[in-house]
Amino acid sequence: AHYLRGQGAGPEAVVGICLERGVELVVSLLGVLKAGAAYLPLDPAYPAQRLEFMMKDSGMKLLLTRKGMIKAVLPEGARAIDLNAECESISGGSGDNPARQAVAENLAYTIYTSGSTGTPKGVAIRHASLTVFLLWARSFFSDEELARVLASTSICFDISVIEIFFPLAFGGKVIVVENALDLSQGQDVHGVTYLNVVSSAARELLELDAVPASVRTVGFAGEAVPSDLATKICELPFIKRVCDLYGPTEDTVYSTVSELHEDGDITIGRPIWQTRAYILGKDFELCPVGVLGELMLAGDGQARGYVGRGDLTAGKFIPNPYGVAAGERMYRTGDIAKWRDDGKIEYLGRGDDQIKLRGYLIELAEVEGALRQWPGIRQAAVVLKQDASAGKHLVAYVTADEPIDASQIRSHLRQTLPEYMVPALIVQLPQMPLTANGKLDRKSLPDVEIESGQQYQAPGNETERELVRIWEEVLKRERIGVVDDFFDLGGHSLLATQVISKLRKRMGFDVPLQELFKASTVKEFARIVDNIRHNGGGASMPAMRRMARRAPQGADATIVPESDQG
């Protein structure tokens, strides 16, 4: 914090953070806030073009990172601080607690979410909103529940706020891993007591019997919770409480909470502290019990608005006709809901073209806009589909002047969009189906299945044969060839974790999950598997964890070293 102040950080200054998950990431977040500045989370895996936009749009002047970690070009006037090169200068600073400079209305962080105009939009959150949220969490969760919290969510996703800041603010411990699915790879989670997870990841953990027996509370967030999944989690003998936590980024992490039970009754519950919920009709009239309307939120959790987007802010943060104070606003969530007789809110889905996929909020218009950048594509429509093999995934439909190469277009999209926004399938149509009034008829877009576009090539050795068997089980497909791409066949991060888990059980050693993202065909991945096996990669998981704990700070370790220092 002292070092950052010396570099010009202070109230309203934005400091970017682009680091691997580990101790230094948490220290950097706390250092930025203690300096009185606001942090901008930047994912090293995001495309350079997207990172460049976020850094420039936010007004970022300082960036905490490591040399070579970020490929994006910094905005004019901004400076990158290499933690490796500056380590001595930082550690040589004062150890005294710096005087507080930020006040309640100052900016705490800016998180970018998908935007309907084709570019991300930055949501600006104040210290006041963050403080109120943490005080609510302190009242709702017990010391036992949040004694050891699994921090598995990207800092670009605001659920990370409760995973990191709550336990550290009130005496708990943070256990940092790459993602929740690391639990399925035998990660030592040091008796984690609270698990925050999206529904799709929770289902994978259940199927792999990977929910740690030390967990006492599970918090579902980011996605709607299926009834059967809630029942299965509640039935785990060591789980004491299961919560459904709902809230948009624009209302500081969570806005409502509900406790779930074995009966499978799913609601998003009631508003948390200092939050008021309204369900309104088309003319902003209050909807009675049982009548569908748009869910709107007011209270202390509201964001300032969108960075540099006064028009969008005015359209989403509107005057509250039922407000208790002059000038009060309410946020239009775009979610359809209704009140129940018991005073709880039942969530019924989106009322616009936003969707949730594996916890991420996606504006379909942004993906469609990126598709239309491809030469020759005239129209584009993206929808969320679900099937038995690929689960939930995006499908893009396009019309074009000439035949398209879907694999080339998907590679192009990866240059501007995060992986979770790249459609699993791109379908060319002669024309888009239209309604009677000439608008796109999304319901009439044809159902399609993901198929390989490669000519079949049979496996040539035992490693390739075993990998083909695993892929066919995970993707629920037959006759997968060694040059077929895992992700082109509908694979995603959750299914990739299943591949790694099955591989470990059958071959007796672990392969890092990220290797599948680097080599996504059977032939390429088989070479990596054989190389790890032939070079002593068959170490047991306990041995690997011991090596991770011995690794120096900054090494590629996925978990905070075992310690009672919190």
Side-chain angles (χ1 to χ4, degrees):
H2 285 287
Y3 176 85
L4 288 172
R5 284 188 177 176
Q7 305 302 310
E12 299 302 312
V14 177
V15 181
I17 297 179
C18 186
L19 292 166
E20 69 276 20
R21 296 184 66 78
V23 176
E24 290 85 354
L25 174 64
V26 178
V27 170
S28 296
L29 289 168
L30 295 173
V32 169
L33 292 175
K34 190 173 280 288
Y39 73 86
L40 169 70
L42 300 166
D43 191 328
Y46 278 11
Q49 183 175 333
R50 195 176 189 86
L51 293 174
E52 288 169 9
F53 173 84
M54 293 161 64
M55 291 188 290
K56 182 178 181 181
D57 186 69
S58 67
M60 184 201 81
K61 297 301 181 184
L62 294 173
L63 171 66
L64 294 174
T65 188
R66 296 188 191 283
K67 184 177 180 180
M69 179 157 287
I70 188 167
K71 303 296 190 294
V73 177
L74 267 63
E76 184 176 354
R79 186 170 77 86
I81 298 171
D82 180 354
L83 291 187
N84 288 339
E86 298 294 326
C87 180
E88 186 173 342
S89 298
I90 296 171
S91 60
S94 170
D96 295 335
N97 196 29
R100 186 174 63 190
Q101 293 183 350
V103 297
E105 292 304 311
N106 283 139
L107 188 66
Y109 61 82
T110 297
I111 284 184
Y112 277 77
T113 64
S114 180
S116 59
T117 61
T119 55
K121 55 183 185 289
V123 182
I125 300 294
R126 307 165 301 144
H127 278 277
S129 297
L130 177 57
T131 301
V132 167
F133 171 70
L134 292 177
L135 288 173
W136 163 79
R138 178 62 174 164
S139 72
F140 185 77
F141 295 106
S142 68
D143 290 343
E144 178 190 12
E145 288 175 298
L146 289 170
R148 292 173 178 265
V149 178
L150 189 74
S152 61
T153 306
S154 167
I155 61 169
C156 293
F157 196 15
D158 65 348
I159 292 174
S160 61
V161 167
I162 194 169
E163 293 179 340
I164 295 175
F165 298 133
F166 180 82
L168 294 183
F170 297 106
K173 299 180 177 66
V174 178
I175 311 299
V176 181
V177 296
E178 287 293 331
N179 60 67
L181 295 175
D182 280 357
L183 300 176
S184 68
Q185 299 182 55
Q187 287 284 4
D188 184 348
V189 291
H190 306 187
V192 60
T193 56
Y194 180 80
L195 177 62
N196 222 37
V197 67
V198 296
S199 298
S200 48
R203 193 176 294 279
E204 298 297 328
L205 292 174
L206 270 179
E207 291 182 2
L208 297 169
D209 192 24
V211 179
S214 58
V215 173
R216 295 295 174 264
T217 302
V218 172
F220 283 111
E223 287 181 329
V225 184
S227 178
D228 70 308
L229 177 62
T231 298
K232 291 176 181 177
I233 290 289
C234 289
E235 288 175 344
L236 292 175
F238 47 85
I239 298 296
K240 293 185 177 179
R241 188 153 69 146
V242 178
C243 302
D244 187 356
L245 300 148
Y246 163 89
T249 300
E250 289 86 346
D251 199 47
T252 312
V253 194
Y254 300 144
S255 307
T256 70
V257 62
S258 175
E259 291 195 37
L260 305 181
H261 303 283
E262 290 91 339
D263 59 10
D265 181 29
I266 303 296
T267 75
I268 59 172
R270 298 183 175 89
I272 68 171
W273 269 9
Q274 306 301 322
T275 297
R276 293 180 297 283
Y278 304 89
I279 298 177
L280 304 183
K282 291 183 178 180
D283 295 323
F284 297 99
E285 74 278 11
L286 293 168
C287 291
V289 170
V291 175
L292 275 60
E294 182 179 356
L295 177 59
M296 305 195 190
L297 301 166
D300 293 341
Q302 276 197 2
R304 282 183 179 174
Y306 300 108
V307 176
R309 302 287 301 278
D311 55 339
L312 185 59
T313 299
K316 296 290 284 185
F317 294 86
I318 64 174
N320 183 1
Y322 309 101
V324 297
E328 183 177 296
R329 304 177 305 165
M330 61 182 178
Y331 172 69
R332 303 189 63 173
T333 68
D335 290 331
I336 304 301
K338 66 179 181 180
W339 291 107
R340 299 199 329 181
D341 290 334
D342 58 5
K344 295 180 180 179
I345 300 170
E346 186 173 340
Y347 171 84
L348 297 164
R350 294 293 303 175
D352 53 22
D353 289 337
Q354 284 186 340
I355 58 99
K356 281 283 187 77
L357 179 62
R358 296 191 289 280
Y360 291 97
L361 185 65
I362 299 173
E363 291 272 8
L364 296 178
E366 182 176 358
V367 185
E368 293 167 350
L371 282 162
R372 287 193 292 269
Q373 298 300 313
W374 185 259
I377 288 184
R378 291 181 279 107
Q379 297 172 292
V382 180
V383 296
L384 182 66
K385 295 282 189 179
Q386 183 166 2
D387 61 38
S389 58
K392 288 184 178 180
H393 58 278
L394 296 180
V395 176
Y397 298 85
V398 300
T399 61
D401 297 329
E402 56 187 32
I404 63 169
D405 185 325
S407 62
Q408 286 186 6
I409 296 175
R410 292 177 79 247
S411 296
H412 164 73
L413 293 176
R414 289 191 180 98
Q415 297 176 24
T416 58
L417 300 177
E419 182 64 38
Y420 65 85
M421 292 178 66
V422 177
L425 190 63
I426 300 177
V427 180
Q428 185 171 3
L429 301 175
Q431 61 185 25
M432 292 289 185
L434 303 176
T435 62
N437 59 6
K439 294 184 178 180
L440 174 66
D441 186 359
R442 292 181 181 272
K443 293 181 180 179
S444 296
L445 291 167
D447 290 330
V448 290
E449 292 187 1
I450 297 173
E451 297 179 355
S452 171
Q454 300 287 340
Q455 185 175 356
Y456 176 77
Q457 290 187 27
N461 57 49
E462 184 53 38
T463 301
E464 291 182 354
R465 282 189 286 273
E466 187 59 50
L467 287 176
V468 165
R469 286 191 286 268
I470 291 174
W471 284 28
E472 289 177 344
E473 291 172 13
V474 169
L475 295 170
K476 296 181 174 63
R477 297 186 179 278
E478 298 179 353
R479 198 173 166 75
I480 292 179
V482 296
V483 294
D484 293 335
D485 188 281
F486 180 79
F487 299 101
D488 286 345
L489 291 174
H492 48 71
S493 58
L494 300 180
L495 296 179
T497 301
Q498 284 194 35
V499 169
I500 299 300
S501 178
K502 288 178 180 291
L503 180 64
R504 180 178 65 251
K505 289 178 181 178
R506 297 183 190 183
M507 295 192 176
F509 60 91
D510 194 74
V511 177
L513 178 63
Q514 61 266 30
E515 296 296 343
L516 182 52
F517 288 89
K518 297 176 184 176
S520 53
T521 68
V522 167
K523 184 175 286 294
E524 294 170 336
F525 192 52
R527 294 194 188 103
I528 291 175
V529 171
D530 284 336
N531 184 58
I532 291 175
R533 174 166 37 206
H534 296 151
N535 287 282
S540 66
M541 288 305 296
M544 293 176 70
R545 288 194 291 271
R546 286 195 297 273
M547 287 187 284
R549 294 191 191 111
R550 290 198 298 269
Q553 289 191 359
D556 186 20
T558 59
I559 194 161
V560 174
E562 189 166 23
S563 168
D564 281 330
Q565 297 178 12

